[in-house]
């Protein structure tokens, strides 16, 4: 499989596969990096797609960056990447993991994407932050007063982030979408997924005993079979 490393407006990127007019943009989740797209690319390239993966702020080659893994930094970057893509490919689709799906929907609600594949997507950031505040025993009043509160889980609660999530709910998503969701996903409630699927007419696959992070051999097997099924359709 061909592999080309380069930069798009200073953003580290990898293009996987032989020249095609079809492209999947791969957006990783928290703690991910552009190289993780290789497994997806091996499958997608078999179906004549190319795959473009990038490092989001504070990830991969950009780990030394600080205070930039947030939507007000990520969305403009993704829009600039999409402008580059539209100048190179005719058929464009999206593959995204976890928070990458939320960033993708914030960025591309007006883009004529052909399809999107979401794995363990964050679909309601406001509810997730509210859950994290509950787990950390942090009230909204306390967060507004302190602005930034680190938690024992390693996540940091931010008043600015909460306000952004409140002001930018996902209300528009016209892209035909397939979702793979683990039954025991600890970050996105099943009711949130089912509500989203019903509202935006998505295809939902639920892995019994699956988790938010697909990483065991059994989970990866389910993931790869799901990808193949989606790409064959």
């Amino acid at each position: 499989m061909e592999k080309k490393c380069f930069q798009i407006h200073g953003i580290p990127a990898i293009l996987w596969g032989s020249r095609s007019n079809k492209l999947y943009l791969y957006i990783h989740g928290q703690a991910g990096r552009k190289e993780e797209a290789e497994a997806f690319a091996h499958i997608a390239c078999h179906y004549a797609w190319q795959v473009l993966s990038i490092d989001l702020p504070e990830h991969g080659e950009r780990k030394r960056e600080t205070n930039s893994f947030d939507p007000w930094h990520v969305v403009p970057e993704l829009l600039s990447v999409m402008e580059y893509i539209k100048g190179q490919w005719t058929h464009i689709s999206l593959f995204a993991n976890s928070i990458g799906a939320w960033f993708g929907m914030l960025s591309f609600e007006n883009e004529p994407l052909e399809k999107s594949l979401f794995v363990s997507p964050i679909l309601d950031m406001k509810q997730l932050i509210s859950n994290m505040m509950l787990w950390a025993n942090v009230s909204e009043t306390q967060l507004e007063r302190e602005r930034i509160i680190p938690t024992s889980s390693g996540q940091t609660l931010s008043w600015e982030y909460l306000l952004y999530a409140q002001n930018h709910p996902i209300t528009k998503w016209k892209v035909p979408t397939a979702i793979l969701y683990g039954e025991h996903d600890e970050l996105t409630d099943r009711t949130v997924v089912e509500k989203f699927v019903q509202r935006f007419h998505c295809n939902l696959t639920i892995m019994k005993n699956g988790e938010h992070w697909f990483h065991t051999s059994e989970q990866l097997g389910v993931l790869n079979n799901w990808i193949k099924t989606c790409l064959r359709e």
Side-chain angles (χ1 to χ4, degrees):
M1 181 173 58
E2 294 183 26
K3 174 183 174 183
K4 176 188 175 185
C5 298
F6 65 115
Q7 291 194 347
I8 303 171
H9 308 307
I11 301 168
I14 301 177
L15 178 63
W16 312 82
S18 304
R19 179 61 195 169
S20 168
N21 66 348
K22 304 193 303 178
L23 180 87
Y24 262 95
L25 172 61
Y26 184 107
I27 305 178
H28 65 73
Q30 188 167 11
R33 58 190 185 129
K34 63 186 179 303
E35 286 79 8
E36 76 179 40
E38 183 172 6
F40 172 70
H42 268 293
I43 301 172
C45 292
H46 180 73
Y47 293 92
W49 289 87
Q50 287 185 285
V51 175
L52 178 70
S53 56
I54 60 171
D55 281 330
L56 294 177
E58 301 184 49
H59 290 73
E61 292 181 48
R62 308 175 65 185
K63 270 197 167 181
R64 294 186 179 181
E65 297 180 17
T66 57
N67 301 320
S68 53
F69 188 62
D70 51 55
W72 48 95
H73 283 94
V74 172
V75 170
E77 285 195 2
L78 290 179
L79 288 171
S80 71
V81 169
M82 183 56 66
E83 285 306 306
Y84 168 81
I85 289 172
K86 289 192 292 188
Q88 303 284 331
W89 288 273
T90 309
H91 304 281
I92 304 164
S93 290
L94 173 66
F95 182 99
N97 277 308
S98 191
I99 195 174
W102 186 62
F103 287 148
M105 288 186 290
L106 288 173
S107 304
F108 304 140
E109 66 173 13
N110 295 314
E111 296 293 341
L113 302 178
E114 295 195 355
K115 193 169 187 176
S116 60
L117 306 181
F118 291 162
V119 179
S120 303
I122 302 300
L123 303 170
D124 187 339
M125 181 58 77
K126 180 180 180 295
Q127 180 171 28
L128 175 57
I129 294 173
S130 296
N131 288 344
M132 291 169 63
M133 290 169 65
L134 189 64
W135 301 334
N137 196 27
V138 171
S139 69
E140 195 166 305
T141 302
Q142 181 185 357
L143 186 57
E144 181 179 11
R145 183 177 65 248
E146 299 186 29
R147 316 303 283 188
I148 299 282
I149 300 178
T151 69
S152 58
S153 69
Q155 301 292 334
T156 298
L157 295 169
S158 158
W159 176 248
E160 186 178 11
Y161 211 124
L162 175 60
L163 290 182
Y164 186 99
Q166 288 177 340
N167 294 327
H168 296 82
I170 303 301
T171 57
K172 176 184 174 184
W173 188 245
K174 297 181 179 180
V175 181
T177 298
I179 295 174
L180 178 61
Y181 173 79
E183 181 185 27
H184 300 308
D185 190 315
E186 68 278 13
L187 296 184
T188 298
D189 295 340
R190 183 161 174 168
T191 53
V192 170
V193 175
E194 291 175 343
K195 184 178 177 182
F196 183 92
V197 165
Q198 186 173 19
R199 181 176 185 180
F200 297 110
H201 311 292
C202 307
N203 180 289
L204 174 63
T205 299
I206 299 176
M207 180 185 175
K208 187 174 178 59
N209 296 320
E211 304 166 90
H212 184 77
W213 179 36
F214 281 70
H215 65 289
T216 68
S217 57
E218 180 186 6
Q219 291 165 353
L220 292 175
V222 170
L223 171 61
N224 289 336
N225 287 333
W226 175 78
I227 291 170
K228 291 172 186 175
T229 299
C230 292
L231 293 177
R232 278 197 297 263
E233 293 175 348

